[in-house]
Structures are given as C-alpha cells and as structure tokens.
Amino acid sequence: MMMTMQSADLAGTRLPGRLCRSARPWGRHVAVVPRSSSSSSSLSSSLSSSPLSSSLLSSLPGSNTEAHDTSRDISAQTSRSDLLRSIVLSSMALAVPLALDSTSARAEIGQFVEPVEVPKLLCDASCLEALSTVERVKLPSGLEFQDIKVGTGPAAPVGYQVVLHYILMTADGRVISNSLENGTPYDIRVGTGQVVAGLDEGLKTMRVGGIRRVYVPEGELSFPKGLPSAPGRPRVAPGAPVIFDVQLLYVPGLDDEE
C-alpha cells in the first residue's frame, strides 16, 4: 500500500522545464511548464545552428535582420538590372530603323502604313503650273489646246490608226475616264468619227511623242448625249464642255521615231 502511494506521488510530480515520466509502466504524461529565460536563449541558439531552422526563423519578422537586408539588396539590384535592360532594348529599337537602308526602311514602314494611291496623270501639279506660260491655241471651231510637250515624230493623217493614252475630265478638272489606270493605250482612226468630234479635231495637228491638253467647248464638239456617271466618277451632261489630256504614242505603219 505504501508503494502504491509513492508511485502516485511520483506520477503527480512536475519537473520544471523537463519531460517527466509517469511511474506507471503503461503510459507517459507530458508536463509543459513556462521556460526560463536561460532555456529560451539556449533553444533559440540551438535552432539557429540548424540550416532548416535558420531558414524558418529568417521568415519571421525581426528574426533575421541581416537576411532581410540581403534580400532587399538583391531585389534592388534586380530592379536596376531590369531598368537597364529596358533602356538598352528601347535604344536598340530606336536604332534599328536608322541602320536600315532607305529601301528596307520603306518596306518596314509599309507593313504598318496603308499605301496612298497616287492618281496617274499626264499633267501633274508642276505641269499645270507650267501651263500658265504655254500659249493656248484657239481654232475656228472654238476648240482650244495647249501643247504640254511638242512631239517630234510623224503627224497623224486622217484615216490612219493611232495609239494614244488619254484622260477625260470635266471643265473643273474632275476625272471621268483614264486609260493610264487601265494600263492599256487606246487606238482609234483619226477623222472617222470613232471618238467625240472635239478629240478628233485636236489630234489632227499632233505629232508622235507629243502631249496635248484639248479644251472641248460646249456644244456639238462635245458629247451630244452626255455620259452617265460611274462609281466615283461624275456625270457629263449632254453637250457639256470637257477637257482631254492626250499623249500620242505612235502611228502604226509610219516612222514614229522622235
């Protein structure tokens, strides 16, 4: 009976800071008591000596100031490196077009910029400016013309087939028809009524290689029935004045060397 009481007293004994075994052989009791400052220090130092424990402790606020400082330094260096890399890449991007030749640069720009269609004309803006100083010839029929370029080849006899490019415009310069846009010149027989009377008369005094602006007055020399409008092209009223720009290319069967 005495032995049993001693065992019970031993089982209820708590040893500060230690794990105590129960006197009972069939189990253990764990007693947890507040640690003293000395034991806390020894536990912290033992944890710090372990690599795994060090990494865990360093993740705690204030547990490892030096590790946090190192991390901030690495982050700052990485940010500076990223900034420098961005600056270098931006500089390279700006320098590439300067290194390209003009043809390559135009090709690169053409990938992003939609090309603007330039109209094909026999008399452009500089030509129109020059026409202000060119004599305007008026024929008895009322037809007028200006020679943009005087041809040096043979003239076009009546009844002969001629090959030409033409641009038909309204009196205010709006394009109605343009053979240059089709890429194929037009062939007619001069003086046989295949074309409007004003153009027929304007061709009679031209020479191969010449370019002429023909002013067809209102009336019978123009289109007696007019011309219907087309998509993007104006309508011509019956007998309305029109303008022809004509380039005489050659006369088949005749020496057309300039």
Side-chain angles (χ1 to χ4, degrees), residues 23 31 54 56 59 69 83 94 104 108 116 122 160 174 181:
S54 298
L56 292 174
S59 65
D69 292 340
L83 178 59
L94 291 173
S104 299
E108 290 292 333
V116 177
L122 290 174
Y160 270 70
R174 291 176 295 163
E181 291 181 353

Side-chain angles (χ1 to χ4, degrees), residues 87-106:
I87 294 173
V88 171
L89 291 177
S90 299
S91 301
M92 291 175 63
L94 291 173
V96 166
L98 298 178
L100 297 173
D101 56 76
S102 58
T103 303
S104 299
R106 286 194 297 270

Side-chain angles (χ1 to χ4, degrees), residues 81-258:
S81 299
D82 292 341
L83 178 59
L84 290 173
R85 187 182 300 109
S86 299
I87 294 173
V88 171
L89 291 177
S90 299
S91 301
M92 291 175 63
L94 291 173
V96 166
L98 298 178
L100 297 173
D101 56 76
S102 58
T103 303
S104 299
R106 286 194 297 270
E108 290 292 333
I109 294 173
Q111 295 179 4
F112 306 100
V113 179
E114 185 176 352
V116 177
E117 183 179 357
V118 178
K120 298 178 181 179
L121 302 172
L122 290 174
C123 187
D124 56 15
S126 60
C127 167
L128 289 175
E129 186 177 354
L131 276 180
S132 61
T133 62
V134 175
E135 180 186 6
R136 186 160 172 166
V137 179
K138 186 172 183 178
L139 302 178
S141 62
L143 186 78
E144 298 182 45
F145 66 83
Q146 288 176 291
D147 282 322
I148 298 169
K149 178 183 177 182
V150 178
T152 58
V158 174
Y160 270 70
Q161 184 181 14
V162 298
V163 179
L164 55 85
H165 271 305
Y166 76 92
I167 299 176
L168 171 62
M169 298 170 284
T170 61
D172 58 2
R174 291 176 295 163
V175 176
I176 302 168
S177 181
N178 187 341
S179 67
L180 292 174
E181 291 181 353
N182 300 329
T184 303
Y186 195 65
D187 64 277
I188 63 169
R189 290 190 180 275
V190 178
T192 61
Q194 290 184 349
V195 293
V196 64
L199 177 58
D200 227 353
E201 185 173 351
L203 287 171
K204 290 179 182 178
T205 55
M206 284 191 71
R207 292 184 174 273
V208 171
I211 301 176
R212 175 175 289 184
R213 172 159 286 195
V214 180
Y215 301 90
V216 180
E218 182 179 4
E220 59 182 11
L221 293 180
S222 187
F223 296 91
K225 296 182 179 180
L227 294 174
S229 61
R233 302 295 173 91
R235 170 182 175 272
V236 176
V242 292
I243 299 173
F244 281 96
D245 281 347
V246 186
Q247 180 183 26
L248 186 57
L249 300 175
Y250 62 93
V251 180
L254 295 180
D255 183 10
D256 54 358
E257 294 183 1
E258 296 187 14

